[in-house]
Amino acid sequence: VIGAGLMGHGIALEFAVAGLEVRLHDRTPEALREARERILAGLKRLEQLGVITAEQQSDAPARVLFSAELAEVCREADLVIESVTEDLEAKRRVFAELDRDRAERVFHLLEDGRSGQVFLTAPKPADMPFRDGGLARWRLRDGVLVEDE
């Protein structure tokens, strides 16, 4: 997960609770520290509400690797989820760096935080056309991946 803010840390938490290893990236150690604190607090709250078990709460944090090194986070990744600030140039920089370092089998999921639209891009998203702050290629519509109109 690229971007450890409000959305990124929550995505990492969900994957970890589901039993998956997840790597969480942000550019600064402070952002990563805050994300770790939010994840721990979120897990505690979910356990208190009975949403997850005490075992899930205690096991999940060990499944999250925190790193300020993008290449380390994406190495051998099966899925890269971009969750950086809603800034098109920042997103393009992230995608350009990913394209240099990642395997061709990795797809990118992009969610436009304003519209809630989800986009699937592959194999070289930095080269694909952007429109209105989002990548116009594929969208999830009613739970089905469809070509953008």
Short mmCIF file of all heavy atoms in Angstrom, two decimals, residues 69-139:
data_model
loop_
_atom_site.label_atom_id
_atom_site.label_comp_id
_atom_site.label_asym_id
_atom_site.label_seq_id
_atom_site.Cartn_x
_atom_site.Cartn_y
_atom_site.Cartn_z
N GLU A 69 11.06 3.12 1.93
CA GLU A 69 11.68 2.75 0.65
C GLU A 69 10.65 2.10 -0.26
O GLU A 69 10.22 0.97 -0.02
CB GLU A 69 12.84 1.78 0.89
CG GLU A 69 13.97 2.37 1.72
CD GLU A 69 14.63 3.56 1.04
OE1 GLU A 69 14.74 3.57 -0.20
OE2 GLU A 69 15.01 4.50 1.76
N LEU A 70 10.26 2.80 -1.31
CA LEU A 70 9.22 2.30 -2.21
C LEU A 70 9.62 0.99 -2.88
O LEU A 70 8.81 0.07 -2.97
CB LEU A 70 8.90 3.36 -3.27
CG LEU A 70 7.73 3.04 -4.20
CD1 LEU A 70 6.45 2.85 -3.41
CD2 LEU A 70 7.56 4.14 -5.23
N ALA A 71 10.86 0.88 -3.30
CA ALA A 71 11.31 -0.36 -3.97
C ALA A 71 11.20 -1.55 -3.02
O ALA A 71 10.81 -2.65 -3.44
CB ALA A 71 12.74 -0.21 -4.47
N GLU A 72 11.50 -1.36 -1.75
CA GLU A 72 11.40 -2.45 -0.77
C GLU A 72 9.96 -2.90 -0.60
O GLU A 72 9.66 -4.09 -0.53
CB GLU A 72 11.96 -2.00 0.58
CG GLU A 72 11.83 -3.05 1.67
CD GLU A 72 12.29 -2.57 3.03
OE1 GLU A 72 12.44 -1.35 3.24
OE2 GLU A 72 12.51 -3.42 3.89
N VAL A 73 9.06 -1.95 -0.56
CA VAL A 73 7.64 -2.26 -0.37
C VAL A 73 7.08 -3.02 -1.57
O VAL A 73 6.27 -3.93 -1.41
CB VAL A 73 6.85 -0.96 -0.12
CG1 VAL A 73 5.36 -1.19 -0.20
CG2 VAL A 73 7.22 -0.37 1.22
N CYS A 74 7.51 -2.67 -2.75
CA CYS A 74 6.94 -3.25 -3.97
C CYS A 74 7.65 -4.52 -4.44
O CYS A 74 7.13 -5.21 -5.31
CB CYS A 74 6.94 -2.22 -5.08
SG CYS A 74 5.86 -0.84 -4.69
N ARG A 75 8.82 -4.80 -3.88
CA ARG A 75 9.55 -5.99 -4.30
C ARG A 75 8.69 -7.22 -4.09
O ARG A 75 8.14 -7.45 -3.02
CB ARG A 75 10.84 -6.10 -3.48
CG ARG A 75 11.80 -7.17 -3.99
CD ARG A 75 13.10 -7.19 -3.19
NE ARG A 75 13.78 -5.89 -3.26
CZ ARG A 75 14.04 -5.14 -2.18
NH1 ARG A 75 13.71 -5.53 -0.97
NH2 ARG A 75 14.65 -3.98 -2.32
N GLU A 76 8.52 -8.00 -5.11
CA GLU A 76 7.76 -9.25 -5.09
C GLU A 76 6.28 -9.07 -4.74
O GLU A 76 5.61 -10.02 -4.35
CB GLU A 76 8.41 -10.27 -4.15
CG GLU A 76 9.83 -10.63 -4.54
CD GLU A 76 10.48 -11.59 -3.57
OE1 GLU A 76 9.76 -12.30 -2.85
OE2 GLU A 76 11.71 -11.62 -3.55
N ALA A 77 5.77 -7.87 -4.89
CA ALA A 77 4.36 -7.62 -4.58
C ALA A 77 3.47 -8.21 -5.66
O ALA A 77 3.79 -8.17 -6.84
CB ALA A 77 4.11 -6.11 -4.47
N ASP A 78 2.36 -8.77 -5.24
CA ASP A 78 1.35 -9.27 -6.17
C ASP A 78 0.33 -8.19 -6.50
O ASP A 78 -0.35 -8.25 -7.51
CB ASP A 78 0.63 -10.48 -5.58
CG ASP A 78 1.55 -11.68 -5.45
OD1 ASP A 78 2.31 -11.95 -6.40
OD2 ASP A 78 1.51 -12.33 -4.40
N LEU A 79 0.20 -7.22 -5.63
CA LEU A 79 -0.77 -6.15 -5.79
C LEU A 79 -0.20 -4.88 -5.19
O LEU A 79 0.33 -4.91 -4.08
CB LEU A 79 -2.09 -6.52 -5.09
CG LEU A 79 -3.18 -5.47 -5.04
CD1 LEU A 79 -3.75 -5.22 -6.45
CD2 LEU A 79 -4.29 -5.90 -4.10
N VAL A 80 -0.30 -3.78 -5.91
CA VAL A 80 0.13 -2.48 -5.40
C VAL A 80 -1.11 -1.59 -5.37
O VAL A 80 -1.78 -1.42 -6.39
CB VAL A 80 1.22 -1.84 -6.28
CG1 VAL A 80 1.55 -0.43 -5.78
CG2 VAL A 80 2.47 -2.71 -6.32
N ILE A 81 -1.40 -1.06 -4.20
CA ILE A 81 -2.53 -0.14 -4.05
C ILE A 81 -1.98 1.25 -3.77
O ILE A 81 -1.27 1.44 -2.79
CB ILE A 81 -3.49 -0.59 -2.94
CG1 ILE A 81 -4.08 -1.96 -3.28
CG2 ILE A 81 -4.60 0.45 -2.74
CD1 ILE A 81 -4.97 -2.52 -2.21
N GLU A 82 -2.32 2.17 -4.64
CA GLU A 82 -1.87 3.55 -4.49
C GLU A 82 -2.88 4.30 -3.63
O GLU A 82 -4.08 4.24 -3.89
CB GLU A 82 -1.74 4.18 -5.89
CG GLU A 82 -1.41 5.65 -5.89
CD GLU A 82 -2.63 6.53 -5.73
OE1 GLU A 82 -3.73 6.15 -6.17
OE2 GLU A 82 -2.48 7.61 -5.14
N SER A 83 -2.37 4.97 -2.60
CA SER A 83 -3.25 5.71 -1.70
C SER A 83 -2.57 7.01 -1.27
O SER A 83 -2.63 7.40 -0.11
CB SER A 83 -3.56 4.84 -0.47
OG SER A 83 -4.42 5.52 0.39
N VAL A 84 -1.90 7.66 -2.21
CA VAL A 84 -1.23 8.92 -1.89
C VAL A 84 -2.22 10.07 -1.98
O VAL A 84 -3.37 9.90 -2.39
CB VAL A 84 0.00 9.18 -2.81
CG1 VAL A 84 1.02 8.07 -2.67
CG2 VAL A 84 -0.41 9.36 -4.25
N THR A 85 -1.77 11.24 -1.61
CA THR A 85 -2.60 12.44 -1.61
C THR A 85 -3.27 12.65 -2.96
O THR A 85 -2.75 12.22 -3.99
CB THR A 85 -1.76 13.67 -1.21
OG1 THR A 85 -2.60 14.80 -1.14
CG2 THR A 85 -0.65 13.93 -2.22
N GLU A 86 -4.43 13.29 -2.96
CA GLU A 86 -5.17 13.54 -4.20
C GLU A 86 -4.49 14.65 -5.00
O GLU A 86 -5.00 15.75 -5.15
CB GLU A 86 -6.63 13.89 -3.88
CG GLU A 86 -7.42 12.74 -3.32
CD GLU A 86 -7.48 11.55 -4.28
OE1 GLU A 86 -7.65 11.75 -5.50
OE2 GLU A 86 -7.34 10.42 -3.80
N ASP A 87 -3.31 14.34 -5.51
CA ASP A 87 -2.51 15.26 -6.31
C ASP A 87 -2.02 14.48 -7.52
O ASP A 87 -1.25 13.54 -7.39
CB ASP A 87 -1.34 15.76 -5.46
CG ASP A 87 -0.37 16.65 -6.21
OD1 ASP A 87 -0.16 16.44 -7.42
OD2 ASP A 87 0.20 17.55 -5.58
N LEU A 88 -2.51 14.86 -8.69
CA LEU A 88 -2.23 14.10 -9.90
C LEU A 88 -0.73 13.97 -10.17
O LEU A 88 -0.25 12.90 -10.54
CB LEU A 88 -2.93 14.75 -11.10
CG LEU A 88 -2.79 14.03 -12.43
CD1 LEU A 88 -3.28 12.59 -12.33
CD2 LEU A 88 -3.56 14.78 -13.51
N GLU A 89 0.03 15.02 -9.96
CA GLU A 89 1.48 14.95 -10.20
C GLU A 89 2.15 13.99 -9.21
O GLU A 89 3.07 13.26 -9.58
CB GLU A 89 2.12 16.33 -10.15
CG GLU A 89 1.78 17.19 -11.36
CD GLU A 89 2.05 16.49 -12.68
OE1 GLU A 89 3.15 15.94 -12.86
OE2 GLU A 89 1.16 16.49 -13.54
N ALA A 90 1.71 13.99 -7.97
CA ALA A 90 2.26 13.05 -6.99
C ALA A 90 1.97 11.61 -7.41
O ALA A 90 2.83 10.73 -7.32
CB ALA A 90 1.68 13.32 -5.60
N LYS A 91 0.76 11.37 -7.89
CA LYS A 91 0.39 10.03 -8.35
C LYS A 91 1.24 9.63 -9.55
O LYS A 91 1.73 8.49 -9.62
CB LYS A 91 -1.10 9.97 -8.70
CG LYS A 91 -2.01 10.09 -7.48
CD LYS A 91 -3.46 10.10 -7.91
CE LYS A 91 -4.38 10.33 -6.72
NZ LYS A 91 -4.37 9.28 -5.74
N ARG A 92 1.45 10.53 -10.48
CA ARG A 92 2.27 10.23 -11.65
C ARG A 92 3.70 9.90 -11.25
O ARG A 92 4.31 8.99 -11.81
CB ARG A 92 2.25 11.40 -12.63
CG ARG A 92 0.96 11.47 -13.41
CD ARG A 92 1.03 12.54 -14.47
NE ARG A 92 -0.14 12.44 -15.33
CZ ARG A 92 -0.73 13.47 -15.91
NH1 ARG A 92 -0.25 14.68 -15.75
NH2 ARG A 92 -1.78 13.30 -16.67
N ARG A 93 4.25 10.64 -10.28
CA ARG A 93 5.62 10.35 -9.81
C ARG A 93 5.69 8.96 -9.20
O ARG A 93 6.64 8.20 -9.44
CB ARG A 93 6.07 11.41 -8.81
CG ARG A 93 6.47 12.72 -9.45
CD ARG A 93 7.17 13.65 -8.46
NE ARG A 93 6.36 13.96 -7.30
CZ ARG A 93 5.49 14.98 -7.23
NH1 ARG A 93 5.33 15.77 -8.26
NH2 ARG A 93 4.81 15.20 -6.13
N VAL A 94 4.71 8.60 -8.39
CA VAL A 94 4.68 7.27 -7.78
C VAL A 94 4.61 6.21 -8.87
O VAL A 94 5.37 5.24 -8.85
CB VAL A 94 3.49 7.12 -6.80
CG1 VAL A 94 3.28 5.67 -6.42
CG2 VAL A 94 3.73 7.97 -5.56
N PHE A 95 3.73 6.38 -9.84
CA PHE A 95 3.60 5.38 -10.90
C PHE A 95 4.86 5.27 -11.74
O PHE A 95 5.26 4.18 -12.14
CB PHE A 95 2.39 5.67 -11.79
CG PHE A 95 1.08 5.38 -11.11
CD1 PHE A 95 -0.04 6.13 -11.41
CD2 PHE A 95 0.97 4.37 -10.18
CE1 PHE A 95 -1.25 5.87 -10.80
CE2 PHE A 95 -0.24 4.10 -9.55
CZ PHE A 95 -1.35 4.85 -9.87
N ALA A 96 5.51 6.40 -12.01
CA ALA A 96 6.75 6.35 -12.79
C ALA A 96 7.81 5.56 -12.03
O ALA A 96 8.54 4.75 -12.63
CB ALA A 96 7.23 7.77 -13.08
N GLU A 97 7.91 5.78 -10.73
CA GLU A 97 8.89 5.02 -9.93
C GLU A 97 8.52 3.54 -9.87
O GLU A 97 9.39 2.68 -9.98
CB GLU A 97 8.98 5.61 -8.51
CG GLU A 97 10.11 5.01 -7.72
CD GLU A 97 10.35 5.70 -6.40
OE1 GLU A 97 9.88 6.84 -6.20
OE2 GLU A 97 11.02 5.10 -5.54
N LEU A 98 7.26 3.24 -9.74
CA LEU A 98 6.83 1.84 -9.72
C LEU A 98 7.16 1.15 -11.04
O LEU A 98 7.58 0.00 -11.06
CB LEU A 98 5.33 1.74 -9.45
CG LEU A 98 4.87 2.08 -8.05
CD1 LEU A 98 3.35 2.15 -8.00
CD2 LEU A 98 5.40 1.08 -7.05
N ASP A 99 6.94 1.85 -12.13
CA ASP A 99 7.22 1.27 -13.45
C ASP A 99 8.69 0.90 -13.61
O ASP A 99 9.02 -0.05 -14.30
CB ASP A 99 6.81 2.22 -14.56
CG ASP A 99 5.31 2.24 -14.79
OD1 ASP A 99 4.63 1.32 -14.30
OD2 ASP A 99 4.83 3.17 -15.44
N ARG A 100 9.57 1.66 -12.99
CA ARG A 100 11.01 1.36 -13.08
C ARG A 100 11.36 0.11 -12.29
O ARG A 100 12.27 -0.63 -12.65
CB ARG A 100 11.83 2.54 -12.56
CG ARG A 100 11.96 3.68 -13.51
CD ARG A 100 13.02 4.66 -13.05
NE ARG A 100 12.85 5.11 -11.67
CZ ARG A 100 12.11 6.15 -11.30
NH1 ARG A 100 11.45 6.85 -12.20
NH2 ARG A 100 12.02 6.50 -10.04
N ASP A 101 10.68 -0.13 -11.17
CA ASP A 101 11.12 -1.13 -10.21
C ASP A 101 10.26 -2.38 -10.10
O ASP A 101 10.66 -3.34 -9.46
CB ASP A 101 11.20 -0.51 -8.80
CG ASP A 101 12.19 0.62 -8.74
OD1 ASP A 101 13.18 0.56 -9.48
OD2 ASP A 101 11.94 1.57 -7.98
N ARG A 102 9.09 -2.42 -10.68
CA ARG A 102 8.19 -3.52 -10.40
C ARG A 102 8.12 -4.54 -11.52
O ARG A 102 8.46 -4.27 -12.66
CB ARG A 102 6.80 -3.00 -10.09
CG ARG A 102 6.12 -2.43 -11.31
CD ARG A 102 4.73 -1.97 -10.98
NE ARG A 102 4.12 -1.38 -12.12
CZ ARG A 102 3.57 -2.05 -13.12
NH1 ARG A 102 3.56 -3.35 -13.12
NH2 ARG A 102 3.04 -1.42 -14.15
N ALA A 103 7.61 -5.71 -11.19
CA ALA A 103 7.40 -6.77 -12.17
C ALA A 103 6.18 -6.42 -13.02
O ALA A 103 5.24 -5.79 -12.54
CB ALA A 103 7.17 -8.10 -11.45
N GLU A 104 6.17 -6.87 -14.24
CA GLU A 104 5.04 -6.58 -15.14
C GLU A 104 3.75 -7.22 -14.68
O GLU A 104 2.68 -6.84 -15.11
CB GLU A 104 5.38 -7.04 -16.56
CG GLU A 104 6.43 -6.18 -17.22
CD GLU A 104 6.02 -4.72 -17.35
OE1 GLU A 104 4.87 -4.43 -17.72
OE2 GLU A 104 6.87 -3.86 -17.08
N ARG A 105 3.81 -8.23 -13.80
CA ARG A 105 2.60 -8.92 -13.37
C ARG A 105 1.81 -8.11 -12.35
O ARG A 105 0.70 -8.47 -11.99
CB ARG A 105 2.94 -10.28 -12.78
CG ARG A 105 3.73 -10.22 -11.50
CD ARG A 105 4.19 -11.61 -11.08
NE ARG A 105 5.09 -11.54 -9.97
CZ ARG A 105 4.71 -11.58 -8.71
NH1 ARG A 105 3.46 -11.73 -8.40
NH2 ARG A 105 5.60 -11.50 -7.75
N VAL A 106 2.36 -7.00 -11.88
CA VAL A 106 1.69 -6.21 -10.86
C VAL A 106 0.74 -5.21 -11.52
O VAL A 106 1.11 -4.49 -12.43
CB VAL A 106 2.72 -5.46 -9.98
CG1 VAL A 106 2.01 -4.58 -8.97
CG2 VAL A 106 3.62 -6.44 -9.27
N PHE A 107 -0.49 -5.20 -11.05
CA PHE A 107 -1.48 -4.24 -11.51
C PHE A 107 -1.63 -3.18 -10.42
O PHE A 107 -1.30 -3.40 -9.28
CB PHE A 107 -2.83 -4.93 -11.72
CG PHE A 107 -2.84 -5.83 -12.91
CD1 PHE A 107 -2.15 -7.04 -12.90
CD2 PHE A 107 -3.55 -5.48 -14.04
CE1 PHE A 107 -2.17 -7.87 -14.00
CE2 PHE A 107 -3.57 -6.30 -15.14
CZ PHE A 107 -2.88 -7.50 -15.12
N HIS A 108 -2.15 -2.03 -10.78
CA HIS A 108 -2.38 -0.96 -9.82
C HIS A 108 -3.88 -0.75 -9.67
O HIS A 108 -4.60 -0.71 -10.65
CB HIS A 108 -1.78 0.36 -10.31
CG HIS A 108 -0.31 0.32 -10.45
ND1 HIS A 108 0.54 0.39 -9.39
CD2 HIS A 108 0.48 0.21 -11.54
CE1 HIS A 108 1.78 0.33 -9.82
NE2 HIS A 108 1.77 0.23 -11.12
N LEU A 109 -4.31 -0.60 -8.44
CA LEU A 109 -5.69 -0.17 -8.17
C LEU A 109 -5.61 1.27 -7.69
O LEU A 109 -4.84 1.60 -6.81
CB LEU A 109 -6.32 -1.01 -7.07
CG LEU A 109 -6.73 -2.43 -7.44
CD1 LEU A 109 -7.22 -3.15 -6.19
CD2 LEU A 109 -7.79 -2.43 -8.50
N LEU A 110 -6.42 2.11 -8.27
CA LEU A 110 -6.47 3.51 -7.89
C LEU A 110 -7.88 3.81 -7.43
O LEU A 110 -8.84 3.44 -8.12
CB LEU A 110 -6.25 4.34 -9.15
CG LEU A 110 -5.15 5.35 -9.20
CD1 LEU A 110 -4.17 4.88 -10.23
CD2 LEU A 110 -5.73 6.67 -9.59
N GLU A 111 -8.04 4.45 -6.32
CA GLU A 111 -9.37 4.91 -5.93
C GLU A 111 -9.35 6.42 -5.90
O GLU A 111 -8.47 7.02 -5.28
CB GLU A 111 -9.79 4.38 -4.57
CG GLU A 111 -11.17 4.87 -4.20
CD GLU A 111 -11.70 4.33 -2.90
OE1 GLU A 111 -10.98 3.61 -2.21
OE2 GLU A 111 -12.84 4.64 -2.57
N ASP A 112 -10.28 7.03 -6.58
CA ASP A 112 -10.42 8.47 -6.54
C ASP A 112 -11.17 8.79 -5.24
O ASP A 112 -12.35 8.46 -5.11
CB ASP A 112 -11.20 8.95 -7.76
CG ASP A 112 -11.32 10.47 -7.82
OD1 ASP A 112 -11.35 11.10 -6.75
OD2 ASP A 112 -11.38 11.00 -8.93
N GLY A 113 -10.48 9.40 -4.29
CA GLY A 113 -11.06 9.68 -2.99
C GLY A 113 -12.27 10.58 -3.03
O GLY A 113 -13.11 10.55 -2.14
N ARG A 114 -12.38 11.39 -4.06
CA ARG A 114 -13.53 12.30 -4.15
C ARG A 114 -14.77 11.60 -4.67
O ARG A 114 -15.85 11.81 -4.18
CB ARG A 114 -13.18 13.48 -5.04
CG ARG A 114 -12.08 14.36 -4.45
CD ARG A 114 -11.68 15.38 -5.46
NE ARG A 114 -11.25 14.67 -6.67
CZ ARG A 114 -10.17 14.95 -7.37
NH1 ARG A 114 -9.42 15.94 -7.02
NH2 ARG A 114 -9.87 14.25 -8.43
N SER A 115 -14.59 10.75 -5.69
CA SER A 115 -15.76 10.12 -6.31
C SER A 115 -16.01 8.70 -5.82
O SER A 115 -17.08 8.16 -6.02
CB SER A 115 -15.58 10.09 -7.83
OG SER A 115 -14.57 9.16 -8.18
N GLY A 116 -14.98 8.08 -5.23
CA GLY A 116 -15.12 6.69 -4.81
C GLY A 116 -14.94 5.71 -5.95
O GLY A 116 -15.05 4.51 -5.75
N GLN A 117 -14.63 6.21 -7.15
CA GLN A 117 -14.42 5.32 -8.29
C GLN A 117 -13.10 4.58 -8.13
O GLN A 117 -12.12 5.13 -7.64
CB GLN A 117 -14.41 6.11 -9.59
CG GLN A 117 -15.75 6.72 -9.91
CD GLN A 117 -15.68 7.60 -11.13
OE1 GLN A 117 -14.71 8.29 -11.34
NE2 GLN A 117 -16.73 7.57 -11.93
N VAL A 118 -13.10 3.32 -8.53
CA VAL A 118 -11.89 2.49 -8.46
C VAL A 118 -11.45 2.18 -9.88
O VAL A 118 -12.26 1.84 -10.73
CB VAL A 118 -12.16 1.18 -7.70
CG1 VAL A 118 -10.93 0.31 -7.68
CG2 VAL A 118 -12.62 1.49 -6.28
N PHE A 119 -10.15 2.33 -10.13
CA PHE A 119 -9.61 2.09 -11.45
C PHE A 119 -8.55 1.00 -11.38
O PHE A 119 -7.73 0.98 -10.47
CB PHE A 119 -8.94 3.37 -11.99
CG PHE A 119 -9.83 4.57 -11.95
CD1 PHE A 119 -9.80 5.43 -10.87
CD2 PHE A 119 -10.69 4.84 -12.99
CE1 PHE A 119 -10.62 6.54 -10.83
CE2 PHE A 119 -11.52 5.95 -12.95
CZ PHE A 119 -11.48 6.80 -11.88
N LEU A 120 -8.54 0.08 -12.31
CA LEU A 120 -7.51 -0.94 -12.44
C LEU A 120 -6.65 -0.58 -13.65
O LEU A 120 -7.18 -0.31 -14.72
CB LEU A 120 -8.13 -2.32 -12.66
CG LEU A 120 -7.16 -3.47 -12.92
CD1 LEU A 120 -6.35 -3.76 -11.67
CD2 LEU A 120 -7.92 -4.69 -13.36
N THR A 121 -5.35 -0.53 -13.46
CA THR A 121 -4.46 -0.15 -14.55
C THR A 121 -3.35 -1.16 -14.69
O THR A 121 -2.87 -1.72 -13.71
CB THR A 121 -3.83 1.22 -14.29
OG1 THR A 121 -2.92 1.12 -13.22
CG2 THR A 121 -4.88 2.25 -13.98
N ALA A 122 -2.93 -1.40 -15.92
CA ALA A 122 -1.82 -2.30 -16.18
C ALA A 122 -1.45 -2.20 -17.64
O ALA A 122 -2.26 -1.85 -18.47
CB ALA A 122 -2.22 -3.73 -15.85
N PRO A 123 -0.22 -2.53 -18.03
CA PRO A 123 0.90 -2.83 -17.16
C PRO A 123 1.77 -1.62 -16.87
O PRO A 123 2.65 -1.67 -16.02
CB PRO A 123 1.68 -3.87 -17.94
CG PRO A 123 1.46 -3.49 -19.35
CD PRO A 123 0.08 -2.88 -19.41
N LYS A 124 1.60 -0.49 -17.58
CA LYS A 124 2.45 0.67 -17.37
C LYS A 124 1.59 1.91 -17.13
O LYS A 124 1.39 2.72 -18.02
CB LYS A 124 3.37 0.88 -18.56
CG LYS A 124 4.26 -0.31 -18.78
CD LYS A 124 5.57 -0.12 -19.25
CE LYS A 124 6.69 0.62 -19.01
NZ LYS A 124 7.57 0.53 -17.99
N PRO A 125 1.08 2.07 -15.92
CA PRO A 125 0.14 3.15 -15.67
C PRO A 125 0.70 4.55 -15.87
O PRO A 125 -0.04 5.46 -16.15
CB PRO A 125 -0.31 2.93 -14.23
CG PRO A 125 0.71 2.04 -13.65
CD PRO A 125 1.31 1.24 -14.76
N ALA A 126 2.01 4.74 -15.74
CA ALA A 126 2.56 6.08 -15.91
C ALA A 126 2.37 6.56 -17.35
O ALA A 126 2.36 7.75 -17.61
CB ALA A 126 4.03 6.09 -15.53
N ASP A 127 2.21 5.63 -18.28
CA ASP A 127 2.04 5.98 -19.68
C ASP A 127 0.58 6.14 -20.08
O ASP A 127 0.28 6.54 -21.20
CB ASP A 127 2.65 4.89 -20.58
CG ASP A 127 4.14 4.76 -20.37
OD1 ASP A 127 4.77 5.76 -19.95
OD2 ASP A 127 4.67 3.67 -20.62
N MET A 128 -0.36 5.81 -19.21
CA MET A 128 -1.78 5.84 -19.56
C MET A 128 -2.34 7.24 -19.36
O MET A 128 -1.86 8.01 -18.54
CB MET A 128 -2.55 4.84 -18.70
CG MET A 128 -2.21 3.42 -19.05
SD MET A 128 -3.24 2.31 -18.10
CE MET A 128 -2.92 0.79 -18.97
N PRO A 129 -3.38 7.58 -20.11
CA PRO A 129 -3.95 8.93 -20.02
C PRO A 129 -4.74 9.14 -18.74
O PRO A 129 -5.50 8.29 -18.32
CB PRO A 129 -4.88 8.99 -21.23
CG PRO A 129 -5.26 7.57 -21.49
CD PRO A 129 -4.06 6.74 -21.09
N PHE A 130 -4.53 10.28 -18.11
CA PHE A 130 -5.30 10.67 -16.93
C PHE A 130 -6.36 11.66 -17.34
O PHE A 130 -6.17 12.45 -18.26
CB PHE A 130 -4.39 11.32 -15.88
CG PHE A 130 -3.56 10.34 -15.11
CD1 PHE A 130 -2.39 9.84 -15.65
CD2 PHE A 130 -3.94 9.92 -13.86
CE1 PHE A 130 -1.62 8.94 -14.95
CE2 PHE A 130 -3.19 9.03 -13.15
CZ PHE A 130 -2.02 8.54 -13.69
N ARG A 131 -7.49 11.65 -16.64
CA ARG A 131 -8.57 12.58 -16.94
C ARG A 131 -9.26 12.93 -15.62
O ARG A 131 -9.60 12.05 -14.85
CB ARG A 131 -9.55 11.92 -17.90
CG ARG A 131 -10.72 12.79 -18.26
CD ARG A 131 -11.61 12.14 -19.31
NE ARG A 131 -12.29 10.99 -18.73
CZ ARG A 131 -12.55 9.88 -19.40
NH1 ARG A 131 -12.16 9.74 -20.64
NH2 ARG A 131 -13.18 8.89 -18.83
N ASP A 132 -9.44 14.19 -15.35
CA ASP A 132 -10.14 14.66 -14.15
C ASP A 132 -9.57 14.07 -12.87
O ASP A 132 -10.30 13.65 -11.98
CB ASP A 132 -11.64 14.33 -14.23
CG ASP A 132 -12.32 15.05 -15.38
OD1 ASP A 132 -11.88 16.16 -15.71
OD2 ASP A 132 -13.28 14.50 -15.93
N GLY A 133 -8.24 13.97 -12.78
CA GLY A 133 -7.62 13.48 -11.55
C GLY A 133 -7.69 11.98 -11.38
O GLY A 133 -7.26 11.44 -10.38
N GLY A 134 -8.25 11.28 -12.35
CA GLY A 134 -8.34 9.83 -12.25
C GLY A 134 -7.86 9.19 -13.53
O GLY A 134 -7.69 9.85 -14.55
N LEU A 135 -7.64 7.92 -13.49
CA LEU A 135 -7.18 7.19 -14.65
C LEU A 135 -8.39 6.58 -15.35
O LEU A 135 -9.09 5.77 -14.77
CB LEU A 135 -6.20 6.10 -14.22
CG LEU A 135 -5.56 5.32 -15.34
CD1 LEU A 135 -4.70 6.23 -16.19
CD2 LEU A 135 -4.72 4.21 -14.77
N ALA A 136 -8.64 7.01 -16.54
CA ALA A 136 -9.82 6.54 -17.27
C ALA A 136 -9.46 5.29 -18.06
O ALA A 136 -9.00 5.37 -19.18
CB ALA A 136 -10.33 7.63 -18.19
N ARG A 137 -9.61 4.14 -17.48
CA ARG A 137 -9.29 2.90 -18.17
C ARG A 137 -10.31 1.81 -17.82
O ARG A 137 -10.99 1.32 -18.68
CB ARG A 137 -7.87 2.46 -17.78
CG ARG A 137 -7.26 1.43 -18.65
CD ARG A 137 -7.14 1.92 -20.05
NE ARG A 137 -6.31 1.07 -20.85
CZ ARG A 137 -6.19 1.19 -22.13
NH1 ARG A 137 -6.83 2.14 -22.75
NH2 ARG A 137 -5.42 0.40 -22.81
N TRP A 138 -10.38 1.42 -16.58
CA TRP A 138 -11.31 0.39 -16.10
C TRP A 138 -11.97 0.91 -14.84
O TRP A 138 -11.39 1.67 -14.09
CB TRP A 138 -10.57 -0.91 -15.77
CG TRP A 138 -9.82 -1.48 -16.92
CD1 TRP A 138 -8.50 -1.27 -17.21
CD2 TRP A 138 -10.32 -2.34 -17.93
NE1 TRP A 138 -8.15 -1.94 -18.34
CE2 TRP A 138 -9.25 -2.63 -18.79
CE3 TRP A 138 -11.55 -2.91 -18.18
CZ2 TRP A 138 -9.39 -3.44 -19.90
CZ3 TRP A 138 -11.69 -3.74 -19.28
CH2 TRP A 138 -10.62 -3.99 -20.12
N ARG A 139 -13.19 0.45 -14.60
CA ARG A 139 -13.89 0.83 -13.37
C ARG A 139 -14.64 -0.37 -12.82
O ARG A 139 -15.03 -1.25 -13.56
CB ARG A 139 -14.89 1.94 -13.64
CG ARG A 139 -14.26 3.22 -14.08
CD ARG A 139 -15.32 4.25 -14.39
NE ARG A 139 -14.68 5.37 -15.05
CZ ARG A 139 -14.85 6.61 -14.68
NH1 ARG A 139 -15.62 6.91 -13.68
NH2 ARG A 139 -14.24 7.58 -15.31
#
